[in-house]
Amino acid sequence: MKLAAMTAFARPRAGRAWPGAVLDTITSRGFLVSAATLLLALFLGVATPIYVSLMGTSIPKLMALPAVMVLGLLLLYDKRVLLILILLVRAVGDPILESTKISLGGTQLGVGVGINLVIILIAALFTLERPKEFPRQLATAWWPFMLIIMIGFVVTPNKADGVRLVMATLSYFAIFIIGTYMVRSREDFKFALKVVISSSILVSLYAFVDIGLHARDSSFRLVSAFTHANILAFYLTLIISLLLYVLKSPTFALRQSQRLGLSAYLVLQLALLLLTQTRSAWIACGAIFAIYAIMFERKYLLYLLLMPLVAALIPSVRERILDLAGGNEVYTYAKLNSFAWRMVLWEAGLRWMAPSHYLFGYGVEAFRFHSQTFFTMAAGIDWSPHNLLVQLIFDIGVVGLCTYLFVFWRVIGRLKNLVTVDRLAAVLLIATMIAHLIVSTSDNIYAYLIFNWYFWFTIGAACSLAPLKAKVVKPFVAAPPGGYAVGHTARH
């Protein structure tokens, strides 16, 4: 039998000439997989000595190539398992991933880039596997913005940074599409949220390490495993909104012990958010709770009024708030507060723009490239605008800004339909998107890859649960203690 099976591969099929049989063999799936594996092995055999010589004695950099190979093997094994693993650990991956970077042609490459490519590839595999389920209506909302980004990359004077922004944009779109594919029922949606929330456990544990190492520093801002306190702050804002949903939604049917544990964990996340010293994230979190209070529980408005008073008892928080009261005047040798300084930066950039660039801008990441030209206080630094709206106008023009806002408009429109399935989820996620736009006016939020991955994955998952068209909302069922009812329409 074995001999027959072996010779069957070499024999031409009945009625087929040798050329046709050879063509059948070459185009067979097994042959292609074997050929691809052989070519990959030959490439790695040639590339490994070169790679080792380039990396020198740096252990993290030497481990980068094997790490990428492991990602590839996991992708072949099960793309869903790989995605869940990435979501669980990516939030604490920066300390390791940053150490694997190498500079190639002015562009920083490392395992992080490989993970970005894996996310894009997973989205492509989902699409090829189930093309009929591709969310066309939602995807078309992204395409104008992505097209403008690509055009902006072609004309940008800052190609190195432009490559990173293009890759980030593709990965945001990919993780959004993945979210829509991962959810086909309410149980899938609950699982997706559990994965995102679970990613914060390692972040919280790492935060205690950060506190222990830097607590005596008077200017301490909690960073945890992230590269900047602001990224952690916006990530925590998303986690807090999801924890609020889990605690208040009857679909989770929490036991009393689970409710107490999650409530304590929510308080911990709020405390960590305070320690980041990120004022825009505080405002965003307050806006989410305010919208929730208005729509569901008015007593939370009282809590919101008391929170600033309690927070003001913390010296570092009080100083952070009082910092905005001074340093608002621009004159020689003046020390501006952070917001006033940003206002000067924004005004300088927008005034420098030529009218011919109002529509399509100067190219992606052009603001940083030209900042030393138009900003007199640049001091030799390429400054980001700390305002996504200003950056989009400068980089890809008013047209680019409109295409970006169009993504939010279309997605929020889809989430409005979620009211017929889960009113609480719809309100909280729309509030989270509004908060995203609020903080965009004072921060480089688009550059915060980790936060955007979890944000767009969550939004994509919710969009998949929402019906394509709004339906009449059915009467709400009674909710258990501490929870709020949702509509009991059929699953999408």
Side-chain angles (χ1 to χ4, degrees):
M1 291 295 294
K2 291 183 178 180
L3 180 60
M6 294 173 62
T7 56
F9 181 80
R11 287 199 310 264
R13 295 182 183 178
R16 294 280 285 174
W18 273 103
V22 172
L23 181 62
D24 288 341
T25 300
I26 293 176
T27 56
S28 67
R29 182 178 179 182
F31 180 86
L32 291 175
V33 171
S34 301
T37 304
L38 178 60
L39 289 174
L40 179 61
L42 290 174
F43 171 77
L44 292 175
V46 174
T48 299
I50 301 174
Y51 178 81
V52 171
S53 64
L54 290 174
M55 297 302 101
T57 59
S58 173
I59 294 179
K61 292 180 179 179
L62 287 172
M63 293 301 295
L65 183 60
V68 172
M69 294 170 61
V70 170
L71 288 175
L73 291 174
L74 287 174
L75 182 62
L76 293 174
Y77 173 71
D78 192 326
K79 59 182 179 294
R80 292 175 182 270
V81 172
L82 176 58
L83 172 68
I84 293 170
L85 288 175
I86 290 175
L87 289 175
L88 287 175
V89 303
R90 182 61 184 90
V92 292
D94 274 351
I96 296 175
L97 297 181
E98 289 293 317
S99 63
T100 66
K101 286 185 175 180
I102 60 172
S103 181
L104 187 63
T107 302
Q108 296 291 319
L109 299 176
V111 177
V113 176
I115 297 176
N116 290 6
L117 292 173
V118 166
I119 290 295
I120 295 171
L121 185 56
I122 290 175
L125 291 175
F126 270 120
T127 303
L128 292 173
E129 184 182 274
R130 307 201 308 260
K132 293 183 178 180
E133 298 178 14
F134 184 75
R136 291 178 178 83
Q137 292 187 355
L138 293 169
T140 53
W142 284 79
W143 290 340
F145 174 65
M146 294 173 67
L147 176 61
I148 294 296
I149 288 291
M150 295 299 180
I151 295 173
F153 173 71
V154 172
V155 301
T156 183
N158 190 358
K159 295 293 185 184
D161 290 335
V163 169
R164 288 195 293 269
L165 188 135
V166 169
M167 285 293 298
T169 301
L170 292 175
S171 69
Y172 299 161
F173 174 69
I175 202 77
F176 175 78
I177 295 299
I178 290 171
T180 65
Y181 271 106
M182 290 288 288
V183 173
R184 285 296 175 265
S185 67
R186 186 182 295 279
E187 291 303 315
D188 291 342
F189 181 62
K190 290 166 60 177
F191 178 76
L193 297 191
K194 289 177 182 178
V195 171
V196 175
I197 293 173
S198 297
S199 71
S200 67
I201 296 175
L202 292 176
V203 174
S204 300
L205 293 175
Y206 204 100
F208 286 107
V209 176
D210 192 21
I211 293 171
L213 293 174
H214 305 97
R216 295 183 179 180
D217 186 355
S218 59
S219 60
F220 170 68
R221 296 182 63 188
L222 182 64
V223 175
S224 186
F226 293 76
T227 55
H228 196 280
N230 289 5
I231 310 176
L232 172 62
F234 301 133
Y235 168 83
L236 291 175
T237 300
L238 174 64
I239 297 299
I240 289 168
S241 64
L242 297 184
L243 284 170
L244 179 62
Y245 169 73
V246 173
L247 284 168
K248 296 299 182 179
S249 173
T251 60
F252 280 86
L254 299 174
R255 297 190 300 271
Q256 187 64 23
S257 58
Q258 293 175 320
R259 190 175 299 280
L260 290 174
L262 283 175
S263 298
Y265 192 65
L266 175 59
V267 173
L268 172 62
Q269 301 308 298
L270 288 169
L272 296 180
L273 178 62
L274 279 178
L275 292 177
T276 63
Q277 308 291 338
T278 305
R279 291 168 297 212
S280 56
W282 297 344
I283 295 172
C285 190
I288 293 171
F289 274 94
I291 293 174
Y292 169 80
I294 293 171
M295 298 298 295
F296 297 102
E297 284 189 275
R298 299 294 173 84
K299 66 180 181 181
Y300 273 71
L301 292 174
L302 178 61
Y303 299 157
L304 286 174
L305 293 175
L306 294 176
M307 279 297 293
L309 299 178
V310 175
L313 298 177
I314 304 174
S316 58
V317 174
R318 184 172 61 250
E319 293 174 6
R320 190 73 172 161
I321 297 173
L322 293 176
D323 178 62
L324 296 176
N328 291 296
E329 298 181 4
V330 181
Y331 55 88
T332 306
Y333 302 117
K335 182 179 180 180
L336 300 175
N337 66 54
S338 59
F339 185 74
W341 181 89
R342 292 177 187 183
M343 289 284 288
V344 174
L345 175 63
W346 303 337
E347 183 180 2
L350 294 177
R351 282 190 174 186
W352 185 83
M353 289 186 69
S356 58
H357 289 273
Y358 287 165
L359 287 180
F360 296 100
Y362 291 88
V364 294
E365 296 292 359
F367 190 100
R368 292 185 61 206
F369 183 85
H370 292 293
S371 61
Q372 293 192 47
T373 301
F374 61 73
F375 189 42
T376 57
M377 293 185 285
I381 299 174
D382 294 336
W383 290 102
S384 296
H386 296 278
N387 184 318
L388 178 59
L389 306 184
V390 171
Q391 179 177 2
L392 291 177
I393 292 174
F394 192 99
D395 290 354
I396 53 178
V398 175
V399 173
L401 173 62
C402 290
T403 59
Y404 179 75
L405 296 177
F406 180 67
V407 174
F408 278 77
W409 182 74
R410 285 289 296 272
V411 172
I412 289 176
R414 181 65 173 270
L415 290 178
K416 286 171 62 178
N417 297 342
L418 185 59
V419 170
T420 65
V421 179
D422 192 332
R423 183 169 178 251
L424 179 61
V427 170
L428 285 177
L429 290 175
I430 290 175
T432 302
M433 294 200 73
I434 293 173
H436 190 291
L437 291 174
I438 290 174
V439 299
S440 294
T441 61
S442 62
D443 216 302
N444 304 313
I445 194 167
Y446 194 78
Y448 301 156
L449 183 137
I450 297 178
F451 162 72
N452 279 285
W453 274 16
Y454 290 100
F455 172 80
W456 284 116
F457 175 77
T458 303
I459 298 300
C463 285
S464 185
L465 191 65
L468 290 174
K469 294 183 180 179
K471 303 174 184 177
V472 177
V473 182
K474 295 184 178 181
F476 288 95
V477 298
Y484 281 82
V486 296
H488 50 86
T489 55
R491 290 179 181 176
H492 171 59

